[in-house]
Structure formats: C-alpha cells, structure tokens
Amino acid sequence: MSGTKKKFARELSRRIVLGVFVILFIALSVTAYMSHSIVVRESERTVSQILNATALDIEKSLESAEIVAKNVSWLAMECLDNPDQLYYLTKQAVLRNPTVVGCAIALRPEYYQGKHYFAPYTYRATGSDTVTSIQLGTDAYDYFFMDWYSCNKSRAGRY
C-alpha cells in the first residue's frame, strides 16, 4: 500500500470512528435526557399519590374525631350535673376510638361552685394502649387563656 492510500485509509478510519463517536454521544445524550424526564415524571406521580393518600388519611381521622366530639359534647351536656361522669366520657372517647389521642371537656371558671378549674382530660400515652385521666386546669395551666379554649368559647355558650 502506498503512502497516499495509507493516509486515505487512516483518514477514513479516523472520520468513521469520529462519526460513530458523535452518533453514540448523541444517542447517549438523548437516552439520558429521556430517562431523566421519565424518572422526574414518575417521581412526581408517586409523590402525588402519596400526598393524596396522606390527605385522605388525615381527612378520615378528622372526620372520626369530629364524630367523637359531637357525640361526647351531646353526652356531656346531659351529664353536667355529675362531674365524675364527665371523666368517664373522656376516658371512653379515648378508649373506644383508636384515632383519638386525647379528649377534654373544659368548663368555664367556677362552673361547679368551689372549683375554679374543671377540665377532665384523658389521653393515650404514645405507643401504648394505656390511658390516663387528669384535671387539666391548674394555676400553672390556666386553660381559660389558651387559644383552644378562648377561640371556642363563643360557640360553647354558657358551659
């Protein structure tokens, strides 16, 4: 093979290798871009499904808590003449409803003569089936000024 033919063969080989390299680079770039797009789209879809499922779980828990609150409030009004019965109601609300972590019935100051605070509170200990009932209101925990009490006071009426 003469020198010119060798140069031509070498140049042709170099151009073929360079062309294959360019085509391979373009193919890999397109594949990487498409793969990235697919991964992003699937990730967004998965996150959306997880968020929707979580929102449904929260909504279900809130609806359950709302039903419990309505039932307990109705029963509490029937039992206002018996303070011990109110403790029983809060305990039953927590024991019978696994989504309820705690329940309180907080009455206005001096609702029962001689008792400035009266707020029976029953709660479930984290990670346990044990429930504990306490008197929520104390000088150290003056619930009359807590947002959860004062925001609802206008709806609760005379109690």
Side-chain angles (χ1 to χ4, degrees):
M1 225 194 259
S2 71
T4 310
K5 287 185 181 181
K6 283 186 181 181
K7 277 185 177 181
F8 177 72
R10 210 177 4 237
E11 185 63 27
L12 183 61
S13 295
R14 190 176 68 75
R15 288 183 184 219
I16 290 172
V17 168
L18 184 61
V20 168
F21 176 76
V22 168
I23 291 170
L24 185 60
F25 178 78
I26 291 170
L28 288 174
S29 296
V30 168
T31 302
Y33 175 77
M34 291 176 69
S35 297
H36 174 75
S37 296
I38 290 169
V39 167
V40 167
R41 191 170 44 247
E42 287 301 310
S43 296
E44 288 172 349
R45 187 178 65 80
T46 301
V47 167
S48 178
Q49 288 174 340
I50 291 170
L51 287 173
N52 286 337
T54 303
L56 287 173
D57 284 347
I58 291 170
E59 187 175 319
K60 184 175 138 185
S61 293
L62 288 174
E63 285 174 356
S64 175
E66 182 180 8
I67 290 168
V68 170
K70 285 180 180 177
N71 289 337
V72 168
S73 66
W74 175 81
L75 290 168
M77 289 205 218
E78 295 293 316
C79 300
L80 283 174
D81 59 337
N82 186 348
D84 291 336
Q85 193 70 22
L86 297 177
Y87 275 98
Y88 177 79
L89 287 176
T90 62
K91 186 174 184 178
Q92 291 305 308
V94 174
L95 284 173
R96 294 174 182 253
N97 299 284
T99 57
V100 174
V101 176
C103 177
I105 301 171
L107 302 180
R108 65 173 167 75
E110 302 292 332
Y111 183 83
Y112 295 117
Q113 197 167 22
K115 292 184 180 183
H116 183 65
Y117 301 102
F118 190 79
Y121 174 60
T122 301
Y123 63 94
R124 184 184 329 270
T126 305
S128 171
D129 288 335
T130 305
V131 297
T132 304
S133 294
I134 62 170
Q135 170 54 253
L136 190 60
T138 64
D139 289 336
Y141 188 80
D142 190 352
Y143 66 84
F144 306 125
F145 298 101
M146 301 290 175
D147 285 343
W148 61 263
Y149 180 84
S150 60
C151 289
N152 292 310
K153 193 166 48 173
S154 62
R155 284 186 256 158
R158 60 190 169 99
Y159 307 106

